[in-house]
Amino acid sequence: MTDYDPNATQLARATQIVRTYEQRAFPGGGSLLDRDPLYTQALLSALIGDLEQYATNHDIDFTDVVTSGLAAAPRNTTGHAFYKVGDEVRLNRQGDRCGTIVGWTTSKSETGTTYLVEVPGIPHVLAEPAAHLAPAPPFPRTETLLGTVAHADQAERSYISLSARLGTAKASDRRALERDCDNLIAALSSWTGVSADQLRDELGPKPPPNAPAGRPRDAAAAANDFPHDITQGIPPTPPSPTSRPPKQARRHRGPAQAA
């Protein structure tokens, strides 16, 4: 009895759909599928565009269709889970830090799908294959002035928004803002595995850049570098001559005569 291979079945079904679409889009022409990668890519792009038009015409969210299809499709991931954008994961090779899936890349190599993960407090996106990821524990729910925060990306955005208010907040409001900021940092630090100090440094308001050396710091200082009457010190423009003296004819010296 032959084992059922879901990947082979899916590939055969997709191949039949693409070839049928090609014959309908380019009737009477020879097929270039599997021979011209650029042609195949253009054909698939046209097919996806037509599918999106079909979904729009039937009041269907095409993005949701694609996301659901990717999540439900069988994949050759050697038993590893398939994640989608927004899932919270633990990175086993990154000190068990936790973050949020923001995208992925695929290849035909043994690594398969590589997921892109944002970890609050880490200035760059981390790329990890599914084999080194695991579902993250639930983010600790945190009450703030902006509402209840239940996910790490929400906590990150809430902290950035609340900490930005501290500089201009009234004294009566500062205590509540500081309490919310401290609670968000504590929740993010315990969940991500990133230190509280690093989170504050990366997520807090950034000071304005220093002015280049030798240059005034603002417009008022720059104005002081100029005289109050800017015409002072500027030499007057010499009057243009009304007429030019005629050019003197150049005298040509003849050949020297021998004495």
Side-chain angles (χ1 to χ4, degrees):
M1 180 177 179
T2 304
D3 294 334
Y4 171 70
D5 186 351
N7 292 303
T9 302
Q10 186 181 24
L11 178 60
R13 188 168 59 240
T15 301
Q16 182 180 4
I17 292 171
V18 173
R19 291 195 182 280
T20 302
Y21 177 80
E22 181 190 30
Q23 293 171 4
R24 185 65 180 269
F26 305 103
S31 176
L32 294 177
L33 289 172
D34 302 327
R35 289 187 293 165
D36 188 339
L38 292 178
Y39 170 85
T40 303
Q41 181 176 348
L43 186 67
L44 290 175
S45 297
L47 173 58
I48 291 173
D50 288 350
L51 291 174
E52 182 177 16
Q53 181 64 31
Y54 178 89
T56 301
N57 190 57
H58 288 76
D59 295 326
I60 298 173
D61 190 324
F62 187 71
T63 302
D64 287 345
V65 171
V66 173
T67 302
S68 300
L70 290 174
R75 291 175 173 269
N76 185 18
T77 55
T78 62
H80 301 136
F82 171 73
Y83 300 101
K84 62 182 183 297
V85 173
D87 285 351
E88 294 175 336
V89 294
R90 183 190 298 278
L91 296 92
N92 298 328
R93 293 196 304 182
Q94 303 291 338
D96 284 338
R97 287 174 170 168
C98 294
T100 305
I101 299 287
V102 296
W104 64 81
T105 60
T106 57
S107 66
K108 295 182 180 180
S109 64
E110 295 180 358
T111 58
T113 302
T114 297
Y115 292 94
L116 308 178
V117 185
E118 281 189 352
V119 178
I122 303 298
H124 53 273
V125 175
L126 302 175
E128 287 291 338
H132 298 287
L133 297 177
F139 186 83
R141 296 174 67 89
T142 307
E143 298 294 334
T144 72
L145 295 172
L146 301 178
T148 303
V149 174
H151 298 282
D153 53 354
Q154 294 176 337
E156 186 176 8
R157 292 193 299 268
S158 296
Y159 177 81
I160 292 173
S161 177
L162 292 172
S163 61
R165 299 184 187 180
L166 284 172
T168 58
K170 299 178 182 179
S172 56
D173 298 332
R174 286 188 62 86
R175 184 179 298 275
L177 288 172
E178 290 173 347
R179 181 189 64 243
D180 283 356
C181 288
D182 290 343
N183 290 340
L184 288 170
I185 286 294
L188 282 168
S189 181
S190 65
W191 186 81
T192 61
V194 179
S195 70
D197 289 340
Q198 183 173 345
L199 283 164
R200 288 192 178 93
D201 290 341
E202 290 295 331
L203 304 182
K206 301 296 187 292
N210 296 327
R215 295 188 180 181
R217 299 182 64 86
D218 52 31
N224 292 332
D225 284 357
F226 291 91
H228 295 292
D229 185 356
I230 198 169
T231 60
Q232 295 178 3
I234 300 179
T237 303
S240 57
T242 57
S243 62
R244 294 184 178 180
K247 288 186 177 181
Q248 297 291 332
R250 180 178 298 179
R251 297 180 64 183
H252 298 279
R253 298 178 62 184
Q257 295 181 357

